[in-house]
Amino acid sequence: PAYAPPSVCAISKDGRIVAVGGKDVELQLWSTESGALLSTLRGHEIAWTSSNDSTFFVTVQEDSKVYVYDSETLKQRQLLGHPEEGLTCASVSMDDLYVVVGGARGTVYSWDSDSGVEYRQFDDGHVGPVSTVMCFPMPDNTHVIISCGASDHTVVV
């Protein structure tokens, strides 16, 4: 970031894209193969994560919008949601079916990554911001969401 300390530093699961962003609300996407700047996205300084098959990535904006982008075209595919609280983190399930984000007030949100339909919202579990969220597929085709609270020192499954 040119004008602010970095707040996002991540690499796609296939190692081809590096995302770096700061509080200057610019997220820059770089090619690890050529070193070239691929794109600059405005307003995506909270979180960035790629799908496990690296076909899409998710950004979380300062205004709490959650977007899915196509990794090849770098074009926006869909707006997943716009919760009524600041967002703090994001993750894609290991099977790429769900996008999960954590909120500043302790809420965890999840959406179907393909249709964009809200899957679940968990309002109870944390007092204060969620620092980490993860979603894991289980053998019975269900999913387990795990979240950690930053200030309440709790893990919720």
Side-chain angles (χ1 to χ4, degrees), residues 38-70:
L38 301 172
S39 184
T40 299
L41 306 175
R42 296 259 325 131
H44 303 262
E45 78 287 356
I46 302 301
W48 183 94
T49 188
S50 76
S51 61
N52 292 285
D53 66 4
S54 296
T55 59
F56 67 91
F57 61 87
V58 176
T59 67
V60 176
Q61 288 187 251
E62 182 179 57
D63 63 2
S64 299
K65 290 180 182 169
V66 180
Y67 286 106
V68 175
Y69 282 79
D70 183 276

mmCIF file of all heavy atoms in Angstrom, residues 38-70:
data_model
loop_
_atom_site.group_PDB
_atom_site.id
_atom_site.type_symbol
_atom_site.label_atom_id
_atom_site.label_comp_id
_atom_site.label_asym_id
_atom_site.label_seq_id
_atom_site.Cartn_x
_atom_site.Cartn_y
_atom_site.Cartn_z
ATOM 1 N N LEU A 38 -1.743 -7.035 -11.299
ATOM 2 C CA LEU A 38 -2.871 -7.550 -12.072
ATOM 3 C C LEU A 38 -4.084 -6.637 -11.989
ATOM 4 O O LEU A 38 -4.803 -6.454 -12.970
ATOM 5 C CB LEU A 38 -3.265 -8.948 -11.585
ATOM 6 C CG LEU A 38 -2.184 -10.015 -11.648
ATOM 7 C CD1 LEU A 38 -2.662 -11.284 -10.942
ATOM 8 C CD2 LEU A 38 -1.830 -10.300 -13.097
ATOM 9 N N SER A 39 -4.333 -6.095 -10.797
ATOM 10 C CA SER A 39 -5.516 -5.267 -10.592
ATOM 11 C C SER A 39 -5.398 -4.528 -9.270
ATOM 12 O O SER A 39 -4.718 -4.981 -8.356
ATOM 13 C CB SER A 39 -6.768 -6.147 -10.582
ATOM 14 O OG SER A 39 -7.937 -5.369 -10.474
ATOM 15 N N THR A 40 -6.090 -3.404 -9.192
ATOM 16 C CA THR A 40 -6.231 -2.664 -7.943
ATOM 17 C C THR A 40 -7.720 -2.535 -7.660
ATOM 18 O O THR A 40 -8.466 -2.010 -8.489
ATOM 19 C CB THR A 40 -5.593 -1.270 -8.026
ATOM 20 O OG1 THR A 40 -4.195 -1.428 -8.290
ATOM 21 C CG2 THR A 40 -5.763 -0.513 -6.716
ATOM 22 N N LEU A 41 -8.162 -3.037 -6.515
ATOM 23 C CA LEU A 41 -9.565 -2.974 -6.118
ATOM 24 C C LEU A 41 -9.705 -1.948 -5.010
ATOM 25 O O LEU A 41 -8.956 -1.977 -4.036
ATOM 26 C CB LEU A 41 -10.046 -4.340 -5.633
ATOM 27 C CG LEU A 41 -9.837 -5.521 -6.580
ATOM 28 C CD1 LEU A 41 -10.259 -6.812 -5.894
ATOM 29 C CD2 LEU A 41 -10.601 -5.318 -7.868
ATOM 30 N N ARG A 42 -10.664 -1.048 -5.116
ATOM 31 C CA ARG A 42 -10.891 -0.025 -4.092
ATOM 32 C C ARG A 42 -11.859 -0.533 -3.036
ATOM 33 O O ARG A 42 -12.857 -1.155 -3.354
ATOM 34 C CB ARG A 42 -11.467 1.241 -4.722
ATOM 35 C CG ARG A 42 -10.565 1.908 -5.680
ATOM 36 C CD ARG A 42 -9.796 3.129 -5.239
ATOM 37 N NE ARG A 42 -10.421 4.027 -4.317
ATOM 38 C CZ ARG A 42 -9.812 4.472 -3.229
ATOM 39 N NH1 ARG A 42 -8.586 4.083 -2.941
ATOM 40 N NH2 ARG A 42 -10.402 5.310 -2.429
ATOM 41 N N GLY A 43 -11.541 -0.272 -1.768
ATOM 42 C CA GLY A 43 -12.455 -0.554 -0.677
ATOM 43 C C GLY A 43 -12.445 -1.968 -0.149
ATOM 44 O O GLY A 43 -13.393 -2.389 0.478
ATOM 45 N N HIS A 44 -11.380 -2.707 -0.368
ATOM 46 C CA HIS A 44 -11.353 -4.113 0.032
ATOM 47 C C HIS A 44 -10.234 -4.380 1.034
ATOM 48 O O HIS A 44 -9.458 -5.298 0.879
ATOM 49 C CB HIS A 44 -11.153 -5.003 -1.203
ATOM 50 C CG HIS A 44 -12.189 -4.802 -2.250
ATOM 51 N ND1 HIS A 44 -13.268 -5.626 -2.379
ATOM 52 C CD2 HIS A 44 -12.331 -3.850 -3.194
ATOM 53 C CE1 HIS A 44 -14.022 -5.203 -3.374
ATOM 54 N NE2 HIS A 44 -13.473 -4.127 -3.890
ATOM 55 N N GLU A 45 -10.154 -3.585 2.083
ATOM 56 C CA GLU A 45 -8.993 -3.676 2.959
ATOM 57 C C GLU A 45 -9.186 -4.535 4.200
ATOM 58 O O GLU A 45 -8.278 -4.668 4.999
ATOM 59 C CB GLU A 45 -8.552 -2.270 3.379
ATOM 60 C CG GLU A 45 -9.386 -1.641 4.465
ATOM 61 C CD GLU A 45 -10.771 -1.191 4.027
ATOM 62 O OE1 GLU A 45 -11.118 -1.283 2.851
ATOM 63 O OE2 GLU A 45 -11.518 -0.754 4.900
ATOM 64 N N ILE A 46 -10.328 -5.142 4.391
ATOM 65 C CA ILE A 46 -10.563 -5.915 5.611
ATOM 66 C C ILE A 46 -10.052 -7.346 5.489
ATOM 67 O O ILE A 46 -9.334 -7.833 6.353
ATOM 68 C CB ILE A 46 -12.065 -5.910 5.986
ATOM 69 C CG1 ILE A 46 -12.561 -4.471 6.175
ATOM 70 C CG2 ILE A 46 -12.322 -6.745 7.222
ATOM 71 C CD1 ILE A 46 -11.839 -3.671 7.251
ATOM 72 N N ALA A 47 -10.424 -8.041 4.418
ATOM 73 C CA ALA A 47 -9.995 -9.436 4.261
ATOM 74 C C ALA A 47 -9.998 -9.830 2.794
ATOM 75 O O ALA A 47 -10.757 -9.271 1.988
ATOM 76 C CB ALA A 47 -10.918 -10.369 5.046
ATOM 77 N N TRP A 48 -9.151 -10.794 2.452
ATOM 78 C CA TRP A 48 -9.088 -11.398 1.120
ATOM 79 C C TRP A 48 -8.709 -12.853 1.305
ATOM 80 O O TRP A 48 -7.801 -13.182 2.065
ATOM 81 C CB TRP A 48 -8.016 -10.690 0.282
ATOM 82 C CG TRP A 48 -7.915 -11.187 -1.131
ATOM 83 C CD1 TRP A 48 -8.547 -10.644 -2.209
ATOM 84 C CD2 TRP A 48 -7.142 -12.284 -1.631
ATOM 85 N NE1 TRP A 48 -8.222 -11.342 -3.351
ATOM 86 C CE2 TRP A 48 -7.360 -12.358 -3.024
ATOM 87 C CE3 TRP A 48 -6.309 -13.223 -1.058
ATOM 88 C CZ2 TRP A 48 -6.767 -13.316 -3.832
ATOM 89 C CZ3 TRP A 48 -5.719 -14.190 -1.854
ATOM 90 C CH2 TRP A 48 -5.941 -14.217 -3.234
ATOM 91 N N THR A 49 -9.431 -13.744 0.624
ATOM 92 C CA THR A 49 -9.095 -15.162 0.679
ATOM 93 C C THR A 49 -9.502 -15.819 -0.634
ATOM 94 O O THR A 49 -10.475 -15.399 -1.258
ATOM 95 C CB THR A 49 -9.770 -15.874 1.881
ATOM 96 O OG1 THR A 49 -9.269 -17.196 1.996
ATOM 97 C CG2 THR A 49 -11.277 -15.887 1.755
ATOM 98 N N SER A 50 -8.749 -16.814 -1.044
ATOM 99 C CA SER A 50 -9.083 -17.508 -2.294
ATOM 100 C C SER A 50 -9.784 -18.817 -1.985
ATOM 101 O O SER A 50 -9.673 -19.364 -0.884
ATOM 102 C CB SER A 50 -7.830 -17.775 -3.128
ATOM 103 O OG SER A 50 -7.081 -18.843 -2.606
ATOM 104 N N SER A 51 -10.499 -19.315 -2.987
ATOM 105 C CA SER A 51 -11.086 -20.646 -2.875
ATOM 106 C C SER A 51 -9.947 -21.661 -2.907
ATOM 107 O O SER A 51 -8.832 -21.360 -3.336
ATOM 108 C CB SER A 51 -12.070 -20.893 -4.013
ATOM 109 O OG SER A 51 -11.414 -20.830 -5.258
ATOM 110 N N ASN A 52 -10.240 -22.859 -2.473
ATOM 111 C CA ASN A 52 -9.205 -23.895 -2.437
ATOM 112 C C ASN A 52 -8.839 -24.405 -3.820
ATOM 113 O O ASN A 52 -7.728 -24.857 -4.037
ATOM 114 C CB ASN A 52 -9.648 -25.023 -1.508
ATOM 115 C CG ASN A 52 -9.675 -24.532 -0.083
ATOM 116 O OD1 ASN A 52 -8.640 -24.364 0.525
ATOM 117 N ND2 ASN A 52 -10.857 -24.237 0.435
ATOM 118 N N ASP A 53 -9.767 -24.295 -4.779
ATOM 119 C CA ASP A 53 -9.447 -24.664 -6.158
ATOM 120 C C ASP A 53 -8.948 -23.455 -6.958
ATOM 121 O O ASP A 53 -8.671 -23.563 -8.140
ATOM 122 C CB ASP A 53 -10.637 -25.322 -6.849
ATOM 123 C CG ASP A 53 -11.820 -24.380 -7.047
ATOM 124 O OD1 ASP A 53 -11.732 -23.176 -6.721
ATOM 125 O OD2 ASP A 53 -12.862 -24.863 -7.537
ATOM 126 N N SER A 54 -8.846 -22.314 -6.292
ATOM 127 C CA SER A 54 -8.320 -21.056 -6.856
ATOM 128 C C SER A 54 -9.116 -20.532 -8.056
ATOM 129 O O SER A 54 -8.607 -19.755 -8.848
ATOM 130 C CB SER A 54 -6.841 -21.199 -7.227
ATOM 131 O OG SER A 54 -6.084 -21.426 -6.058
ATOM 132 N N THR A 55 -10.392 -20.899 -8.161
ATOM 133 C CA THR A 55 -11.220 -20.375 -9.252
ATOM 134 C C THR A 55 -11.900 -19.063 -8.883
ATOM 135 O O THR A 55 -12.346 -18.328 -9.761
ATOM 136 C CB THR A 55 -12.310 -21.388 -9.683
ATOM 137 O OG1 THR A 55 -13.145 -21.676 -8.558
ATOM 138 C CG2 THR A 55 -11.677 -22.654 -10.231
ATOM 139 N N PHE A 56 -11.998 -18.769 -7.586
ATOM 140 C CA PHE A 56 -12.588 -17.497 -7.156
ATOM 141 C C PHE A 56 -11.898 -17.025 -5.889
ATOM 142 O O PHE A 56 -11.188 -17.778 -5.219
ATOM 143 C CB PHE A 56 -14.106 -17.613 -6.955
ATOM 144 C CG PHE A 56 -14.546 -18.489 -5.811
ATOM 145 C CD1 PHE A 56 -14.744 -17.964 -4.541
ATOM 146 C CD2 PHE A 56 -14.796 -19.837 -6.009
ATOM 147 C CE1 PHE A 56 -15.166 -18.763 -3.493
ATOM 148 C CE2 PHE A 56 -15.224 -20.658 -4.965
ATOM 149 C CZ PHE A 56 -15.411 -20.111 -3.709
ATOM 150 N N PHE A 57 -12.096 -15.741 -5.600
ATOM 151 C CA PHE A 57 -11.622 -15.206 -4.332
ATOM 152 C C PHE A 57 -12.685 -14.303 -3.737
ATOM 153 O O PHE A 57 -13.608 -13.862 -4.423
ATOM 154 C CB PHE A 57 -10.264 -14.506 -4.461
ATOM 155 C CG PHE A 57 -10.231 -13.322 -5.386
ATOM 156 C CD1 PHE A 57 -10.561 -12.043 -4.928
ATOM 157 C CD2 PHE A 57 -9.824 -13.464 -6.704
ATOM 158 C CE1 PHE A 57 -10.509 -10.954 -5.781
ATOM 159 C CE2 PHE A 57 -9.759 -12.379 -7.558
ATOM 160 C CZ PHE A 57 -10.114 -11.112 -7.093
ATOM 161 N N VAL A 58 -12.564 -14.056 -2.444
ATOM 162 C CA VAL A 58 -13.541 -13.283 -1.686
ATOM 163 C C VAL A 58 -12.848 -12.073 -1.085
ATOM 164 O O VAL A 58 -11.736 -12.187 -0.562
ATOM 165 C CB VAL A 58 -14.151 -14.151 -0.559
ATOM 166 C CG1 VAL A 58 -15.102 -13.348 0.303
ATOM 167 C CG2 VAL A 58 -14.831 -15.377 -1.141
ATOM 168 N N THR A 59 -13.521 -10.921 -1.163
ATOM 169 C CA THR A 59 -13.018 -9.723 -0.494
ATOM 170 C C THR A 59 -14.078 -9.213 0.467
ATOM 171 O O THR A 59 -15.277 -9.380 0.239
ATOM 172 C CB THR A 59 -12.679 -8.596 -1.491
ATOM 173 O OG1 THR A 59 -13.876 -8.126 -2.101
ATOM 174 C CG2 THR A 59 -11.686 -9.050 -2.533
ATOM 175 N N VAL A 60 -13.613 -8.602 1.540
ATOM 176 C CA VAL A 60 -14.504 -7.967 2.500
ATOM 177 C C VAL A 60 -14.133 -6.494 2.546
ATOM 178 O O VAL A 60 -12.969 -6.147 2.756
ATOM 179 C CB VAL A 60 -14.379 -8.612 3.894
ATOM 180 C CG1 VAL A 60 -15.232 -7.880 4.909
ATOM 181 C CG2 VAL A 60 -14.768 -10.081 3.827
ATOM 182 N N GLN A 61 -15.132 -5.660 2.334
ATOM 183 C CA GLN A 61 -14.914 -4.225 2.260
ATOM 184 C C GLN A 61 -15.133 -3.536 3.595
ATOM 185 O O GLN A 61 -15.784 -4.076 4.490
ATOM 186 C CB GLN A 61 -15.884 -3.602 1.241
ATOM 187 C CG GLN A 61 -15.546 -3.931 -0.172
ATOM 188 C CD GLN A 61 -16.430 -3.164 -1.128
ATOM 189 O OE1 GLN A 61 -17.271 -3.766 -1.754
ATOM 190 N NE2 GLN A 61 -16.230 -1.874 -1.248
ATOM 191 N N GLU A 62 -14.643 -2.300 3.667
ATOM 192 C CA GLU A 62 -14.822 -1.472 4.854
ATOM 193 C C GLU A 62 -16.300 -1.269 5.176
ATOM 194 O O GLU A 62 -16.688 -1.193 6.331
ATOM 195 C CB GLU A 62 -14.146 -0.115 4.628
ATOM 196 C CG GLU A 62 -14.226 0.813 5.805
ATOM 197 C CD GLU A 62 -13.508 2.114 5.518
ATOM 198 O OE1 GLU A 62 -13.849 2.786 4.528
ATOM 199 O OE2 GLU A 62 -12.611 2.452 6.293
ATOM 200 N N ASP A 63 -17.147 -1.188 4.149
ATOM 201 C CA ASP A 63 -18.578 -0.975 4.373
ATOM 202 C C ASP A 63 -19.343 -2.277 4.595
ATOM 203 O O ASP A 63 -20.561 -2.317 4.491
ATOM 204 C CB ASP A 63 -19.192 -0.189 3.218
ATOM 205 C CG ASP A 63 -19.119 -0.938 1.897
ATOM 206 O OD1 ASP A 63 -18.625 -2.081 1.872
ATOM 207 O OD2 ASP A 63 -19.551 -0.367 0.887
ATOM 208 N N SER A 64 -18.630 -3.358 4.882
ATOM 209 C CA SER A 64 -19.190 -4.672 5.226
ATOM 210 C C SER A 64 -19.797 -5.423 4.056
ATOM 211 O O SER A 64 -20.562 -6.358 4.258
ATOM 212 C CB SER A 64 -20.219 -4.551 6.357
ATOM 213 O OG SER A 64 -19.596 -4.046 7.508
ATOM 214 N N LYS A 65 -19.456 -5.066 2.851
ATOM 215 C CA LYS A 65 -19.917 -5.835 1.705
ATOM 216 C C LYS A 65 -18.947 -6.989 1.470
ATOM 217 O O LYS A 65 -17.746 -6.833 1.602
ATOM 218 C CB LYS A 65 -20.011 -4.966 0.459
ATOM 219 C CG LYS A 65 -21.149 -3.972 0.547
ATOM 220 C CD LYS A 65 -21.223 -3.123 -0.686
ATOM 221 C CE LYS A 65 -22.344 -2.115 -0.542
ATOM 222 N NZ LYS A 65 -22.283 -1.102 -1.600
ATOM 223 N N VAL A 66 -19.503 -8.151 1.105
ATOM 224 C CA VAL A 66 -18.727 -9.354 0.843
ATOM 225 C C VAL A 66 -18.904 -9.695 -0.635
ATOM 226 O O VAL A 66 -20.015 -9.956 -1.078
ATOM 227 C CB VAL A 66 -19.194 -10.525 1.729
ATOM 228 C CG1 VAL A 66 -18.369 -11.777 1.455
ATOM 229 C CG2 VAL A 66 -19.148 -10.149 3.203
ATOM 230 N N TYR A 67 -17.800 -9.662 -1.387
ATOM 231 C CA TYR A 67 -17.853 -9.905 -2.820
ATOM 232 C C TYR A 67 -17.095 -11.174 -3.200
ATOM 233 O O TYR A 67 -16.082 -11.502 -2.593
ATOM 234 C CB TYR A 67 -17.212 -8.751 -3.602
ATOM 235 C CG TYR A 67 -18.060 -7.506 -3.651
ATOM 236 C CD1 TYR A 67 -17.729 -6.391 -2.898
ATOM 237 C CD2 TYR A 67 -19.179 -7.440 -4.470
ATOM 238 C CE1 TYR A 67 -18.498 -5.239 -2.956
ATOM 239 C CE2 TYR A 67 -19.944 -6.291 -4.542
ATOM 240 C CZ TYR A 67 -19.602 -5.192 -3.782
ATOM 241 O OH TYR A 67 -20.370 -4.060 -3.845
ATOM 242 N N VAL A 68 -17.582 -11.835 -4.250
ATOM 243 C CA VAL A 68 -16.878 -12.970 -4.855
ATOM 244 C C VAL A 68 -16.416 -12.523 -6.234
ATOM 245 O O VAL A 68 -17.184 -11.932 -6.998
ATOM 246 C CB VAL A 68 -17.803 -14.201 -4.989
ATOM 247 C CG1 VAL A 68 -17.093 -15.326 -5.728
ATOM 248 C CG2 VAL A 68 -18.261 -14.673 -3.622
ATOM 249 N N TYR A 69 -15.136 -12.782 -6.539
ATOM 250 C CA TYR A 69 -14.530 -12.435 -7.825
ATOM 251 C C TYR A 69 -14.054 -13.691 -8.532
ATOM 252 O O TYR A 69 -13.629 -14.651 -7.880
ATOM 253 C CB TYR A 69 -13.306 -11.531 -7.628
ATOM 254 C CG TYR A 69 -13.641 -10.100 -7.340
ATOM 255 C CD1 TYR A 69 -14.027 -9.696 -6.070
ATOM 256 C CD2 TYR A 69 -13.550 -9.132 -8.330
ATOM 257 C CE1 TYR A 69 -14.322 -8.374 -5.803
ATOM 258 C CE2 TYR A 69 -13.834 -7.803 -8.073
ATOM 259 C CZ TYR A 69 -14.230 -7.434 -6.805
ATOM 260 O OH TYR A 69 -14.520 -6.132 -6.536
ATOM 261 N N ASP A 70 -14.081 -13.672 -9.841
ATOM 262 C CA ASP A 70 -13.519 -14.740 -10.660
ATOM 263 C C ASP A 70 -11.995 -14.562 -10.683
ATOM 264 O O ASP A 70 -11.504 -13.464 -10.971
ATOM 265 C CB ASP A 70 -14.086 -14.659 -12.079
ATOM 266 C CG ASP A 70 -13.591 -15.778 -12.948
ATOM 267 O OD1 ASP A 70 -12.470 -15.635 -13.501
ATOM 268 O OD2 ASP A 70 -14.306 -16.775 -13.087
#
